[in-house]
Amino acid sequence: MGRPGLVVDGATVRFGDTRAVDDVTLTVEPATTVAVLGPSGCGKSTLLRAVAGLEPLTGGSVHLDGADLADTPTHRRGFAMMFQDGQLFHHLDVAGNVGYALRRKGVRGAPLVAEVERLLALVDLAGYARRRPATLSGGEQQRVALARALAARPRLLLLDEPLSALDRALRERLAVDLRAALDATGTSALLVTHDQDEAFTVADRTAIMRSGRLVQQGPPAQVWRYPVDAAAALFLGYAAVVEASIAAVLGVPCPPGHAVALQRDALRMDAAGTVQAVCRSAVAARDGIHLLVAVAGTTLPATADPAASPRPGSPVLLRLDPRAVAVVPP
């Protein structure tokens, strides 16, 4: 029988009368990554600190491999943490940073050098061993921080918005590299982030957090395809949520009381379309023309080809892509 990994059961953290973390239950199976996804202030970083032992629980429990961690101090849990600013040791070079945990474990000489070089290659920093952190870009510093965390061979890696300080393009590249490094090392990880793309790229499972509670959990594709409610759909990046009467006009079957969430490209201007609308505005974007259109008195987003030039107030026909909609429970 395999190890159970991390099990958080009914975890609660209170600050006075406020429940920052409210009855949270989740599992991180060995060699997998779980992302807790939520807006700022929802309690996700407090949850991470509670798992690390940095924040006391007022209810519930945290177990790792079947052992209750209630009486285990942070430094004895065998965890590593990676933060958004890397927190590198600036008095050490890159090799000194990456090899820090190894030296504390008594690794010296050729084995130390070999392991540092292996980890630097893993994070695409081969040849950087003698560089100083101050000479590195933000993305390079985060790669060093990741290599340093992996060098500790943690029982669990805790990631607190590790890419949020980087620009969008770099964040997307490093998310892919982070996932590859975790897979290559078989490291179990718990990630907290407000970035949907980061969560979906890095994690095997995603949990949405709102006001201290987990409102939905599952594989990223499932969470995206079946948002638990309208608020979750909008947070995940759906462009609009419409009631059943508008869904019927669009041709989407929708049970009474339910709603329909539309992705940005769910409606597209098409001369052969069957949805009648009136153009309210048209703005050029990298991926074509972004429209706002009126359908049965409701303003909705739509897209058009770059060559299209609908004028505000003009009638347009729209085609619905059924793959870009989700029926949302009440």
Side-chain angles (χ1 to χ4, degrees):
M1 180 179 297
R3 297 180 304 158
L6 176 76
V7 178
V8 179
D9 186 11
T12 299
V13 178
R14 293 186 183 180
F15 300 123
D17 294 332
T18 301
R19 287 196 177 200
V21 176
D22 188 4
D23 194 24
V24 166
T25 295
L26 62 79
T27 298
V28 181
E29 297 180 354
T32 66
T33 298
V34 172
V36 177
L37 175 64
S40 298
C42 73
K44 57 187 184 296
S45 289
T46 301
L47 172 64
L48 198 74
R49 290 175 56 83
V51 170
L54 297 170
E55 203 69 65
L57 292 174
T58 52
S61 63
V62 176
H63 288 73
L64 185 69
D65 301 338
D68 191 338
L69 299 182
D71 297 323
T72 304
T74 299
H75 67 282
R76 294 193 179 278
R77 295 192 178 194
F79 297 169
M81 294 193 71
M82 182 177 169
F83 302 93
Q84 58 182 278
D85 60 358
Q87 297 191 357
L88 299 179
F89 305 128
H90 285 269
H91 65 288
L92 299 176
D93 60 16
V94 167
N97 272 275
V98 176
Y100 179 79
L102 296 169
R103 290 193 302 275
R104 288 178 60 88
K105 293 182 177 181
V107 181
R108 296 288 189 275
L112 173 64
V113 173
E115 181 63 2
V116 168
E117 290 180 348
R118 184 186 74 84
L119 289 166
L120 288 177
L122 180 66
V123 298
D124 199 26
L125 289 179
Y128 279 63
R130 296 306 163 203
R131 295 277 297 274
R132 290 282 176 173
T135 69
L136 305 178
S137 68
E140 289 167 343
Q141 290 187 31
Q142 285 303 82
R143 291 176 187 272
V144 175
L146 175 59
R148 184 181 64 182
L150 295 175
R153 298 172 187 167
R155 301 169 72 193
L156 179 71
L157 177 58
L158 302 175
L159 301 157
D160 190 358
E161 306 225 34
L163 309 180
S164 64
L166 307 175
D167 64 66
R168 166 61 64 179
L170 183 55
R171 191 158 66 242
E172 290 174 352
R173 293 200 302 273
L174 286 189
V176 173
D177 293 342
L178 173 57
R179 174 60 188 258
L182 294 174
D183 286 345
T185 56
T187 302
S188 305
L190 178 62
L191 163 72
V192 300
T193 180
H194 67 274
D195 187 282
Q196 297 87 347
D197 292 334
E198 181 181 319
F200 289 177
T201 298
V202 175
D204 301 287
R205 291 181 62 82
T206 298
I208 300 178
M209 195 169 195
R210 184 192 305 152
S211 300
R213 299 184 66 88
L214 297 187
V215 298
Q216 185 174 6
Q217 297 186 55
Q222 182 184 71
V223 169
W224 169 250
R225 187 68 185 87
Y226 302 104
V228 69
D229 56 25
L234 292 172
F235 174 71
L236 288 170
Y238 282 81
V241 177
V242 300
E243 60 186 21
S245 61
I246 301 300
V249 174
L250 299 178
V252 181
C254 181
H258 286 57
V260 167
L262 304 172
Q263 297 177 30
R264 155 57 67 181
D265 56 354
L267 292 169
R268 189 164 191 85
M269 185 175 165
D270 189 331
T274 58
V275 178
Q276 297 182 4
V278 175
C279 177
R280 294 299 188 207
S281 67
V283 178
R286 290 180 301 172
D287 56 348
I289 305 296
H290 288 185
L291 308 176
L292 286 178
V293 298
V295 177
T298 298
T299 300
L300 299 174
T303 60
D305 291 331
S309 55
R311 294 181 178 276
S314 64
V316 294
L317 291 175
L318 305 172
R319 170 178 49 83
L320 176 75
D321 182 353
R323 299 168 299 179
V325 303
V327 175
V328 178

